[in-house]
Amino acid sequence: SVSDGTAGVSLSANKTLQTVGTALDLRILEIGTVEEEIAISSEITSCGLCVIQNMDGENFVDVGFETGVYPIRIPAGLFAIVPLTPATSSLFLKADTGACDVKLYVHEA
């Protein structure tokens, strides 16, 4: 649903996703201000859905699929739901001006 208000647009949505695979990679990581490559667990043979939650209250976290390229920015306190290609083996994360705790969840397709 979408509501138009004086302070901008408010969005909410519900979606149930079903996967065939049962493996998952769930971690809480401290991401610093220098790029970090996070390898996805080898238990996941075919990547599916990825949820990345920025648990910091002040800094954003940039996320990418190769070194130095960050098409995803997750503001403080928010999260991103990212469908991954099956062959994804790692993600590249970098915090803004201070280290951030990040919850990373990758589920097998």
Side-chain angles (χ1 to χ4, degrees):
S1 67
V2 176
S3 64
D4 190 10
T6 58
V9 175
S10 175
L11 301 170
S12 68
N14 291 312
K15 177 70 177 167
T16 300
L17 300 171
Q18 188 168 6
T19 62
V20 175
T22 58
L24 64 94
D25 185 353
L26 175 59
R27 297 182 257 175
I28 295 177
L29 307 163
E30 183 178 77
I31 302 299
T33 58
V34 175
E35 178 183 271
E36 298 183 35
E37 181 177 8
I38 307 300
I40 294 171
S41 171
S42 61
E43 296 292 317
I44 297 178
T45 58
S46 180
C47 286
L49 189 66
C50 175
V51 178
I52 306 166
Q53 180 182 359
N54 180 356
M55 300 168 67
D56 194 76
E58 297 179 19
N59 296 292
F60 63 80
V61 175
D62 285 334
V63 181
F65 303 102
E66 61 183 291
T67 190
V69 180
Y70 312 108
I72 300 166
R73 176 164 287 176
I74 306 171
L78 296 181
F79 64 93
I81 300 172
V82 183
L84 299 175
T85 60
T88 303
S89 60
S90 61
L91 299 169
F92 295 82
L93 286 82
K94 184 175 82 165
D96 179 29
T97 58
C100 297
D101 284 341
V102 170
K103 187 182 291 184
L104 175 69
Y105 173 94
V106 179
H107 201 287
E108 192 171 37

PDB file of all heavy atoms in Angstrom, residues 64-98:
ATOM      1  N   GLY A  64      28.217  -4.131  -2.464  1.00  0.00           N
ATOM      2  CA  GLY A  64      28.440  -4.392  -3.880  1.00  0.00           C
ATOM      3  C   GLY A  64      28.768  -5.850  -4.142  1.00  0.00           C
ATOM      4  O   GLY A  64      28.827  -6.673  -3.228  1.00  0.00           O
ATOM      5  N   PHE A  65      29.005  -6.133  -5.416  1.00  0.00           N
ATOM      6  CA  PHE A  65      29.281  -7.494  -5.856  1.00  0.00           C
ATOM      7  C   PHE A  65      30.688  -7.654  -6.414  1.00  0.00           C
ATOM      8  O   PHE A  65      31.085  -8.732  -6.836  1.00  0.00           O
ATOM      9  CB  PHE A  65      28.242  -7.920  -6.903  1.00  0.00           C
ATOM     10  CG  PHE A  65      26.844  -7.801  -6.382  1.00  0.00           C
ATOM     11  CD1 PHE A  65      26.037  -6.736  -6.732  1.00  0.00           C
ATOM     12  CD2 PHE A  65      26.347  -8.742  -5.501  1.00  0.00           C
ATOM     13  CE1 PHE A  65      24.751  -6.615  -6.233  1.00  0.00           C
ATOM     14  CE2 PHE A  65      25.062  -8.628  -4.987  1.00  0.00           C
ATOM     15  CZ  PHE A  65      24.263  -7.560  -5.353  1.00  0.00           C
ATOM     16  N   GLU A  66      31.445  -6.548  -6.425  1.00  0.00           N
ATOM     17  CA  GLU A  66      32.849  -6.578  -6.821  1.00  0.00           C
ATOM     18  C   GLU A  66      33.553  -5.432  -6.105  1.00  0.00           C
ATOM     19  O   GLU A  66      32.915  -4.484  -5.644  1.00  0.00           O
ATOM     20  CB  GLU A  66      33.009  -6.455  -8.338  1.00  0.00           C
ATOM     21  CG  GLU A  66      32.456  -5.160  -8.916  1.00  0.00           C
ATOM     22  CD  GLU A  66      32.569  -5.099 -10.422  1.00  0.00           C
ATOM     23  OE1 GLU A  66      33.711  -5.007 -10.922  1.00  0.00           O
ATOM     24  OE2 GLU A  66      31.534  -5.146 -11.093  1.00  0.00           O
ATOM     25  N   THR A  67      34.855  -5.526  -6.012  1.00  0.00           N
ATOM     26  CA  THR A  67      35.607  -4.538  -5.252  1.00  0.00           C
ATOM     27  C   THR A  67      35.443  -3.134  -5.833  1.00  0.00           C
ATOM     28  O   THR A  67      35.499  -2.938  -7.040  1.00  0.00           O
ATOM     29  CB  THR A  67      37.097  -4.937  -5.150  1.00  0.00           C
ATOM     30  OG1 THR A  67      37.733  -4.074  -4.224  1.00  0.00           O
ATOM     31  CG2 THR A  67      37.806  -4.902  -6.475  1.00  0.00           C
ATOM     32  N   GLY A  68      35.162  -2.175  -4.951  1.00  0.00           N
ATOM     33  CA  GLY A  68      35.071  -0.774  -5.342  1.00  0.00           C
ATOM     34  C   GLY A  68      33.786  -0.335  -6.016  1.00  0.00           C
ATOM     35  O   GLY A  68      33.630   0.828  -6.354  1.00  0.00           O
ATOM     36  N   VAL A  69      32.834  -1.237  -6.224  1.00  0.00           N
ATOM     37  CA  VAL A  69      31.585  -0.899  -6.904  1.00  0.00           C
ATOM     38  C   VAL A  69      30.434  -1.220  -5.949  1.00  0.00           C
ATOM     39  O   VAL A  69      30.200  -2.379  -5.622  1.00  0.00           O
ATOM     40  CB  VAL A  69      31.419  -1.696  -8.223  1.00  0.00           C
ATOM     41  CG1 VAL A  69      30.109  -1.327  -8.906  1.00  0.00           C
ATOM     42  CG2 VAL A  69      32.604  -1.462  -9.136  1.00  0.00           C
ATOM     43  N   TYR A  70      29.711  -0.176  -5.515  1.00  0.00           N
ATOM     44  CA  TYR A  70      28.666  -0.335  -4.501  1.00  0.00           C
ATOM     45  C   TYR A  70      27.326   0.233  -4.995  1.00  0.00           C
ATOM     46  O   TYR A  70      27.003   1.380  -4.722  1.00  0.00           O
ATOM     47  CB  TYR A  70      29.056   0.383  -3.206  1.00  0.00           C
ATOM     48  CG  TYR A  70      30.450   0.076  -2.743  1.00  0.00           C
ATOM     49  CD1 TYR A  70      31.450   1.041  -2.834  1.00  0.00           C
ATOM     50  CD2 TYR A  70      30.778  -1.163  -2.226  1.00  0.00           C
ATOM     51  CE1 TYR A  70      32.736   0.770  -2.411  1.00  0.00           C
ATOM     52  CE2 TYR A  70      32.064  -1.445  -1.799  1.00  0.00           C
ATOM     53  CZ  TYR A  70      33.039  -0.473  -1.897  1.00  0.00           C
ATOM     54  OH  TYR A  70      34.310  -0.742  -1.486  1.00  0.00           O
ATOM     55  N   PRO A  71      26.547  -0.570  -5.702  1.00  0.00           N
ATOM     56  CA  PRO A  71      25.265  -0.053  -6.193  1.00  0.00           C
ATOM     57  C   PRO A  71      24.170   0.008  -5.126  1.00  0.00           C
ATOM     58  O   PRO A  71      23.118   0.580  -5.362  1.00  0.00           O
ATOM     59  CB  PRO A  71      24.895  -1.052  -7.290  1.00  0.00           C
ATOM     60  CG  PRO A  71      25.552  -2.319  -6.885  1.00  0.00           C
ATOM     61  CD  PRO A  71      26.833  -1.908  -6.196  1.00  0.00           C
ATOM     62  N   ILE A  72      24.435  -0.553  -3.944  1.00  0.00           N
ATOM     63  CA  ILE A  72      23.420  -0.585  -2.891  1.00  0.00           C
ATOM     64  C   ILE A  72      23.924   0.211  -1.688  1.00  0.00           C
ATOM     65  O   ILE A  72      25.038  -0.007  -1.216  1.00  0.00           O
ATOM     66  CB  ILE A  72      23.120  -2.035  -2.458  1.00  0.00           C
ATOM     67  CG1 ILE A  72      22.614  -2.842  -3.656  1.00  0.00           C
ATOM     68  CG2 ILE A  72      22.118  -2.065  -1.311  1.00  0.00           C
ATOM     69  CD1 ILE A  72      22.608  -4.336  -3.437  1.00  0.00           C
ATOM     70  N   ARG A  73      23.111   1.118  -1.195  1.00  0.00           N
ATOM     71  CA  ARG A  73      23.424   1.875   0.028  1.00  0.00           C
ATOM     72  C   ARG A  73      22.294   1.625   1.021  1.00  0.00           C
ATOM     73  O   ARG A  73      21.124   1.857   0.717  1.00  0.00           O
ATOM     74  CB  ARG A  73      23.562   3.359  -0.257  1.00  0.00           C
ATOM     75  CG  ARG A  73      23.791   4.176   1.024  1.00  0.00           C
ATOM     76  CD  ARG A  73      24.304   5.539   0.742  1.00  0.00           C
ATOM     77  NE  ARG A  73      25.695   5.437   0.317  1.00  0.00           N
ATOM     78  CZ  ARG A  73      26.430   6.474  -0.097  1.00  0.00           C
ATOM     79  NH1 ARG A  73      25.904   7.680  -0.135  1.00  0.00           N
ATOM     80  NH2 ARG A  73      27.672   6.302  -0.463  1.00  0.00           N
ATOM     81  N   ILE A  74      22.663   1.187   2.226  1.00  0.00           N
ATOM     82  CA  ILE A  74      21.676   0.914   3.260  1.00  0.00           C
ATOM     83  C   ILE A  74      21.837   1.950   4.370  1.00  0.00           C
ATOM     84  O   ILE A  74      22.830   1.941   5.097  1.00  0.00           O
ATOM     85  CB  ILE A  74      21.843  -0.509   3.829  1.00  0.00           C
ATOM     86  CG1 ILE A  74      21.831  -1.542   2.692  1.00  0.00           C
ATOM     87  CG2 ILE A  74      20.737  -0.803   4.848  1.00  0.00           C
ATOM     88  CD1 ILE A  74      22.192  -2.938   3.119  1.00  0.00           C
ATOM     89  N   PRO A  75      20.880   2.874   4.489  1.00  0.00           N
ATOM     90  CA  PRO A  75      20.956   3.900   5.528  1.00  0.00           C
ATOM     91  C   PRO A  75      20.902   3.295   6.932  1.00  0.00           C
ATOM     92  O   PRO A  75      20.470   2.149   7.118  1.00  0.00           O
ATOM     93  CB  PRO A  75      19.724   4.773   5.267  1.00  0.00           C
ATOM     94  CG  PRO A  75      19.387   4.527   3.828  1.00  0.00           C
ATOM     95  CD  PRO A  75      19.736   3.085   3.591  1.00  0.00           C
ATOM     96  N   ALA A  76      21.312   4.077   7.913  1.00  0.00           N
ATOM     97  CA  ALA A  76      21.293   3.655   9.308  1.00  0.00           C
ATOM     98  C   ALA A  76      19.915   3.137   9.694  1.00  0.00           C
ATOM     99  O   ALA A  76      18.900   3.758   9.388  1.00  0.00           O
ATOM    100  CB  ALA A  76      21.697   4.820  10.209  1.00  0.00           C
ATOM    101  N   GLY A  77      19.884   1.963  10.326  1.00  0.00           N
ATOM    102  CA  GLY A  77      18.641   1.406  10.836  1.00  0.00           C
ATOM    103  C   GLY A  77      17.742   0.736   9.814  1.00  0.00           C
ATOM    104  O   GLY A  77      16.685   0.235  10.169  1.00  0.00           O
ATOM    105  N   LEU A  78      18.136   0.703   8.550  1.00  0.00           N
ATOM    106  CA  LEU A  78      17.284   0.120   7.505  1.00  0.00           C
ATOM    107  C   LEU A  78      17.872  -1.187   6.983  1.00  0.00           C
ATOM    108  O   LEU A  78      18.934  -1.626   7.420  1.00  0.00           O
ATOM    109  CB  LEU A  78      17.083   1.111   6.373  1.00  0.00           C
ATOM    110  CG  LEU A  78      16.327   2.395   6.749  1.00  0.00           C
ATOM    111  CD1 LEU A  78      16.171   3.284   5.528  1.00  0.00           C
ATOM    112  CD2 LEU A  78      14.971   2.071   7.345  1.00  0.00           C
ATOM    113  N   PHE A  79      17.191  -1.792   6.027  1.00  0.00           N
ATOM    114  CA  PHE A  79      17.649  -3.058   5.466  1.00  0.00           C
ATOM    115  C   PHE A  79      17.370  -3.095   3.969  1.00  0.00           C
ATOM    116  O   PHE A  79      16.589  -2.301   3.456  1.00  0.00           O
ATOM    117  CB  PHE A  79      16.980  -4.249   6.162  1.00  0.00           C
ATOM    118  CG  PHE A  79      15.499  -4.301   5.967  1.00  0.00           C
ATOM    119  CD1 PHE A  79      14.948  -5.035   4.936  1.00  0.00           C
ATOM    120  CD2 PHE A  79      14.654  -3.620   6.831  1.00  0.00           C
ATOM    121  CE1 PHE A  79      13.577  -5.081   4.755  1.00  0.00           C
ATOM    122  CE2 PHE A  79      13.278  -3.671   6.666  1.00  0.00           C
ATOM    123  CZ  PHE A  79      12.734  -4.397   5.628  1.00  0.00           C
ATOM    124  N   ALA A  80      18.025  -4.043   3.304  1.00  0.00           N
ATOM    125  CA  ALA A  80      17.792  -4.264   1.873  1.00  0.00           C
ATOM    126  C   ALA A  80      17.514  -5.744   1.649  1.00  0.00           C
ATOM    127  O   ALA A  80      18.137  -6.599   2.277  1.00  0.00           O
ATOM    128  CB  ALA A  80      19.017  -3.843   1.062  1.00  0.00           C
ATOM    129  N   ILE A  81      16.570  -6.013   0.765  1.00  0.00           N
ATOM    130  CA  ILE A  81      16.285  -7.378   0.327  1.00  0.00           C
ATOM    131  C   ILE A  81      16.812  -7.481  -1.093  1.00  0.00           C
ATOM    132  O   ILE A  81      16.382  -6.735  -1.972  1.00  0.00           O
ATOM    133  CB  ILE A  81      14.780  -7.676   0.380  1.00  0.00           C
ATOM    134  CG1 ILE A  81      14.266  -7.512   1.801  1.00  0.00           C
ATOM    135  CG2 ILE A  81      14.497  -9.077  -0.163  1.00  0.00           C
ATOM    136  CD1 ILE A  81      12.761  -7.608   1.928  1.00  0.00           C
ATOM    137  N   VAL A  82      17.767  -8.390  -1.296  1.00  0.00           N
ATOM    138  CA  VAL A  82      18.459  -8.478  -2.581  1.00  0.00           C
ATOM    139  C   VAL A  82      18.378  -9.906  -3.117  1.00  0.00           C
ATOM    140  O   VAL A  82      18.950 -10.816  -2.513  1.00  0.00           O
ATOM    141  CB  VAL A  82      19.948  -8.071  -2.436  1.00  0.00           C
ATOM    142  CG1 VAL A  82      20.649  -8.092  -3.779  1.00  0.00           C
ATOM    143  CG2 VAL A  82      20.075  -6.720  -1.757  1.00  0.00           C
ATOM    144  N   PRO A  83      17.689 -10.129  -4.240  1.00  0.00           N
ATOM    145  CA  PRO A  83      17.744 -11.446  -4.872  1.00  0.00           C
ATOM    146  C   PRO A  83      19.130 -11.611  -5.516  1.00  0.00           C
ATOM    147  O   PRO A  83      19.574 -10.737  -6.261  1.00  0.00           O
ATOM    148  CB  PRO A  83      16.654 -11.405  -5.936  1.00  0.00           C
ATOM    149  CG  PRO A  83      15.902 -10.133  -5.703  1.00  0.00           C
ATOM    150  CD  PRO A  83      16.777  -9.220  -4.917  1.00  0.00           C
ATOM    151  N   LEU A  84      19.810 -12.697  -5.192  1.00  0.00           N
ATOM    152  CA  LEU A  84      21.149 -12.926  -5.724  1.00  0.00           C
ATOM    153  C   LEU A  84      21.109 -13.896  -6.896  1.00  0.00           C
ATOM    154  O   LEU A  84      20.242 -14.770  -6.953  1.00  0.00           O
ATOM    155  CB  LEU A  84      22.058 -13.515  -4.632  1.00  0.00           C
ATOM    156  CG  LEU A  84      22.282 -12.661  -3.394  1.00  0.00           C
ATOM    157  CD1 LEU A  84      23.106 -13.430  -2.373  1.00  0.00           C
ATOM    158  CD2 LEU A  84      22.958 -11.345  -3.741  1.00  0.00           C
ATOM    159  N   THR A  85      22.071 -13.759  -7.801  1.00  0.00           N
ATOM    160  CA  THR A  85      22.217 -14.773  -8.838  1.00  0.00           C
ATOM    161  C   THR A  85      22.745 -16.035  -8.159  1.00  0.00           C
ATOM    162  O   THR A  85      23.459 -15.955  -7.147  1.00  0.00           O
ATOM    163  CB  THR A  85      23.186 -14.317  -9.951  1.00  0.00           C
ATOM    164  OG1 THR A  85      24.463 -14.068  -9.385  1.00  0.00           O
ATOM    165  CG2 THR A  85      22.675 -13.062 -10.646  1.00  0.00           C
ATOM    166  N   PRO A  86      22.401 -17.217  -8.673  1.00  0.00           N
ATOM    167  CA  PRO A  86      22.779 -18.465  -8.005  1.00  0.00           C
ATOM    168  C   PRO A  86      24.279 -18.612  -7.740  1.00  0.00           C
ATOM    169  O   PRO A  86      24.675 -19.194  -6.738  1.00  0.00           O
ATOM    170  CB  PRO A  86      22.284 -19.547  -8.973  1.00  0.00           C
ATOM    171  CG  PRO A  86      21.139 -18.897  -9.693  1.00  0.00           C
ATOM    172  CD  PRO A  86      21.543 -17.452  -9.840  1.00  0.00           C
ATOM    173  N   ALA A  87      25.122 -18.083  -8.610  1.00  0.00           N
ATOM    174  CA  ALA A  87      26.571 -18.270  -8.480  1.00  0.00           C
ATOM    175  C   ALA A  87      27.261 -17.236  -7.591  1.00  0.00           C
ATOM    176  O   ALA A  87      28.483 -17.258  -7.449  1.00  0.00           O
ATOM    177  CB  ALA A  87      27.209 -18.258  -9.868  1.00  0.00           C
ATOM    178  N   THR A  88      26.522 -16.318  -6.967  1.00  0.00           N
ATOM    179  CA  THR A  88      27.142 -15.307  -6.111  1.00  0.00           C
ATOM    180  C   THR A  88      27.929 -15.998  -4.998  1.00  0.00           C
ATOM    181  O   THR A  88      27.396 -16.863  -4.303  1.00  0.00           O
ATOM    182  CB  THR A  88      26.073 -14.379  -5.496  1.00  0.00           C
ATOM    183  OG1 THR A  88      25.322 -13.781  -6.545  1.00  0.00           O
ATOM    184  CG2 THR A  88      26.711 -13.295  -4.646  1.00  0.00           C
ATOM    185  N   SER A  89      29.206 -15.621  -4.845  1.00  0.00           N
ATOM    186  CA  SER A  89      30.042 -16.268  -3.826  1.00  0.00           C
ATOM    187  C   SER A  89      30.464 -15.325  -2.709  1.00  0.00           C
ATOM    188  O   SER A  89      30.895 -15.780  -1.652  1.00  0.00           O
ATOM    189  CB  SER A  89      31.285 -16.880  -4.476  1.00  0.00           C
ATOM    190  OG  SER A  89      32.044 -15.872  -5.117  1.00  0.00           O
ATOM    191  N   SER A  90      30.362 -14.017  -2.944  1.00  0.00           N
ATOM    192  CA  SER A  90      30.737 -13.068  -1.902  1.00  0.00           C
ATOM    193  C   SER A  90      30.089 -11.716  -2.157  1.00  0.00           C
ATOM    194  O   SER A  90      29.630 -11.420  -3.257  1.00  0.00           O
ATOM    195  CB  SER A  90      32.257 -12.913  -1.809  1.00  0.00           C
ATOM    196  OG  SER A  90      32.799 -12.419  -3.001  1.00  0.00           O
ATOM    197  N   LEU A  91      30.062 -10.916  -1.097  1.00  0.00           N
ATOM    198  CA  LEU A  91      29.571  -9.545  -1.153  1.00  0.00           C
ATOM    199  C   LEU A  91      30.674  -8.636  -0.635  1.00  0.00           C
ATOM    200  O   LEU A  91      31.531  -9.063   0.141  1.00  0.00           O
ATOM    201  CB  LEU A  91      28.327  -9.382  -0.281  1.00  0.00           C
ATOM    202  CG  LEU A  91      27.120 -10.231  -0.659  1.00  0.00           C
ATOM    203  CD1 LEU A  91      26.059 -10.170   0.434  1.00  0.00           C
ATOM    204  CD2 LEU A  91      26.537  -9.767  -1.986  1.00  0.00           C
ATOM    205  N   PHE A  92      30.653  -7.380  -1.059  1.00  0.00           N
ATOM    206  CA  PHE A  92      31.643  -6.394  -0.630  1.00  0.00           C
ATOM    207  C   PHE A  92      30.909  -5.295   0.128  1.00  0.00           C
ATOM    208  O   PHE A  92      29.987  -4.685  -0.412  1.00  0.00           O
ATOM    209  CB  PHE A  92      32.378  -5.831  -1.849  1.00  0.00           C
ATOM    210  CG  PHE A  92      33.198  -6.864  -2.563  1.00  0.00           C
ATOM    211  CD1 PHE A  92      32.611  -7.737  -3.467  1.00  0.00           C
ATOM    212  CD2 PHE A  92      34.552  -6.972  -2.312  1.00  0.00           C
ATOM    213  CE1 PHE A  92      33.367  -8.703  -4.124  1.00  0.00           C
ATOM    214  CE2 PHE A  92      35.319  -7.939  -2.963  1.00  0.00           C
ATOM    215  CZ  PHE A  92      34.724  -8.808  -3.860  1.00  0.00           C
ATOM    216  N   LEU A  93      31.301  -5.073   1.380  1.00  0.00           N
ATOM    217  CA  LEU A  93      30.620  -4.101   2.233  1.00  0.00           C
ATOM    218  C   LEU A  93      31.621  -3.095   2.780  1.00  0.00           C
ATOM    219  O   LEU A  93      32.793  -3.435   3.029  1.00  0.00           O
ATOM    220  CB  LEU A  93      29.915  -4.795   3.399  1.00  0.00           C
ATOM    221  CG  LEU A  93      28.632  -5.558   3.068  1.00  0.00           C
ATOM    222  CD1 LEU A  93      28.936  -6.930   2.531  1.00  0.00           C
ATOM    223  CD2 LEU A  93      27.759  -5.656   4.289  1.00  0.00           C
ATOM    224  N   LYS A  94      31.144  -1.868   2.988  1.00  0.00           N
ATOM    225  CA  LYS A  94      31.975  -0.801   3.543  1.00  0.00           C
ATOM    226  C   LYS A  94      31.078   0.178   4.278  1.00  0.00           C
ATOM    227  O   LYS A  94      30.067   0.632   3.747  1.00  0.00           O
ATOM    228  CB  LYS A  94      32.737  -0.081   2.428  1.00  0.00           C
ATOM    229  CG  LYS A  94      33.697   0.979   2.928  1.00  0.00           C
ATOM    230  CD  LYS A  94      34.502   1.571   1.799  1.00  0.00           C
ATOM    231  CE  LYS A  94      33.683   2.636   1.113  1.00  0.00           C
ATOM    232  NZ  LYS A  94      34.465   3.508   0.255  1.00  0.00           N
ATOM    233  N   ALA A  95      31.447   0.499   5.531  1.00  0.00           N
ATOM    234  CA  ALA A  95      30.689   1.468   6.326  1.00  0.00           C
ATOM    235  C   ALA A  95      31.132   2.880   5.978  1.00  0.00           C
ATOM    236  O   ALA A  95      32.228   3.098   5.457  1.00  0.00           O
ATOM    237  CB  ALA A  95      30.885   1.195   7.811  1.00  0.00           C
ATOM    238  N   ASP A  96      30.291   3.844   6.316  1.00  0.00           N
ATOM    239  CA  ASP A  96      30.548   5.253   6.019  1.00  0.00           C
ATOM    240  C   ASP A  96      31.678   5.809   6.882  1.00  0.00           C
ATOM    241  O   ASP A  96      32.844   5.673   6.541  1.00  0.00           O
ATOM    242  CB  ASP A  96      29.245   6.039   6.195  1.00  0.00           C
ATOM    243  CG  ASP A  96      29.397   7.526   5.928  1.00  0.00           C
ATOM    244  OD1 ASP A  96      30.264   7.907   5.130  1.00  0.00           O
ATOM    245  OD2 ASP A  96      28.621   8.303   6.511  1.00  0.00           O
ATOM    246  N   THR A  97      31.391   6.431   8.004  1.00  0.00           N
ATOM    247  CA  THR A  97      32.427   7.097   8.797  1.00  0.00           C
ATOM    248  C   THR A  97      32.750   6.375  10.099  1.00  0.00           C
ATOM    249  O   THR A  97      33.623   6.808  10.836  1.00  0.00           O
ATOM    250  CB  THR A  97      32.007   8.545   9.129  1.00  0.00           C
ATOM    251  OG1 THR A  97      30.761   8.509   9.830  1.00  0.00           O
ATOM    252  CG2 THR A  97      31.860   9.360   7.864  1.00  0.00           C
ATOM    253  N   GLY A  98      32.036   5.293  10.398  1.00  0.00           N
ATOM    254  CA  GLY A  98      32.295   4.510  11.601  1.00  0.00           C
ATOM    255  C   GLY A  98      31.835   3.084  11.387  1.00  0.00           C
ATOM    256  O   GLY A  98      30.943   2.826  10.576  1.00  0.00           O
TER     257      GLY A  98
END
